[in-house]
Amino acid sequence: MGLSLFPWALTLLGLLPLWFFPRQENLYPGVLFLLAALILAATASLYARAPLSSRVRFFWVLGISSVAVQGALLASDELAQLPDGLVVTASVAGLAAPALFLAALFVLLRGEGSGLMSVQGEGVLPQSALQALAPGLEALSRVRPVTLLLLHTHPDQPGAALLGFLRKPDLVFELKPGHFLVVLQGSGPEGAQVVFRRIRQNLAIRAYAVLPLQGALGQALRQLEGELAHYYLTHH
């Protein structure tokens, strides 16, 4: 939330001189610079929710925000009578943007763009990996469906047997022996039911629960575990 508000704070800072210096009579092209600054701030705020690593999001948001500040300062310069020093500040803000974009590109090229990309193909993941990937999964759920499927099997059931029924982007986490969390990327509850029927036809499933990821992953997992605990209380 703080990162998404950051571009708006910087843009307002760039417009602050309008309250302290005399206004110009001519509104053109100041209004165009102002509109561009607001659009850039909105774009940076959206990038703060992109399903990428926190470092990439930070550099992208800061880079776009620096261009938004430049537009805001140029708007202030056209709409008010500002000292020359503030115009130089706008130029410096514009120069910072390419460096920030290059930093984001460097992180992406190192394979850190998405916490999910780096674990595909590594088989069943431990619970510690779930905690590390939680921010990326939560960000991904804001732009595409992510569904959680919690499965209880026999304690001796290997988690690798689940991989044959999943697509490549889907992930399997072993919470403890016989307890697995399947993360379906790009599938809603209906798709999860199809996957579960495929698994149940081939493996012995003691209990299961399905929930779309909306918000914090830890809270969703507690809700799933609560549903299964209620199932055991009422059916055993």
Side-chain angles (χ1 to χ4, degrees), residues 32-114:
L32 293 181
F33 285 127
L34 175 60
L35 181 60
L38 295 177
I39 292 174
L40 286 166
T43 303
S45 183
L46 290 175
Y47 267 93
R49 299 175 173 85
L52 296 164
S53 72
S54 58
R55 294 177 63 190
V56 175
R57 289 200 307 269
F58 174 78
F59 286 129
W60 273 1
V61 170
L62 204 58
I64 300 174
S65 297
S66 64
V67 182
V69 171
Q70 182 184 29
L73 287 171
L74 290 174
S76 298
D77 183 55
E78 294 291 339
L79 296 173
Q81 301 174 14
L82 303 187
D84 294 337
L86 288 179
V87 181
V88 175
T89 303
S91 301
V92 173
L95 289 174
L100 292 166
F101 289 136
L102 285 174
L105 180 61
F106 174 74
V107 176
L108 279 171
L109 292 177
R110 289 184 58 193
E112 300 177 15
S114 170

Side-chain angles (χ1 to χ4, degrees), residues 162-175:
L162 297 170
L163 298 175
F165 308 106
L166 305 175
R167 301 170 306 167
K168 185 177 180 181
D170 299 331
L171 304 173
V172 179
F173 299 89
E174 185 173 10
L175 307 182

Side-chain angles (χ1 to χ4, degrees), residues 130-149:
L130 178 63
Q131 299 172 356
L133 294 176
L137 289 170
E138 292 164 0
L140 180 65
S141 68
R142 291 193 284 266
V143 295
R144 60 183 300 192
V146 175
T147 304
L148 306 178
L149 175 61

Side-chain angles (χ1 to χ4, degrees), residues 147-198:
T147 304
L148 306 178
L149 175 61
L150 183 61
L151 300 174
H152 284 188
T153 67
H154 192 276
D156 297 332
Q157 174 67 58
L162 297 170
L163 298 175
F165 308 106
L166 305 175
R167 301 170 306 167
K168 185 177 180 181
D170 299 331
L171 304 173
V172 179
F173 299 89
E174 185 173 10
L175 307 182
K176 57 184 179 180
H179 291 195
F180 301 98
L181 178 68
V182 179
V183 179
L184 304 173
Q185 301 182 47
S187 298
E190 298 82 5
Q193 292 292 345
V194 173
V195 172
F196 173 71
R197 285 196 295 269
R198 224 169 29 231

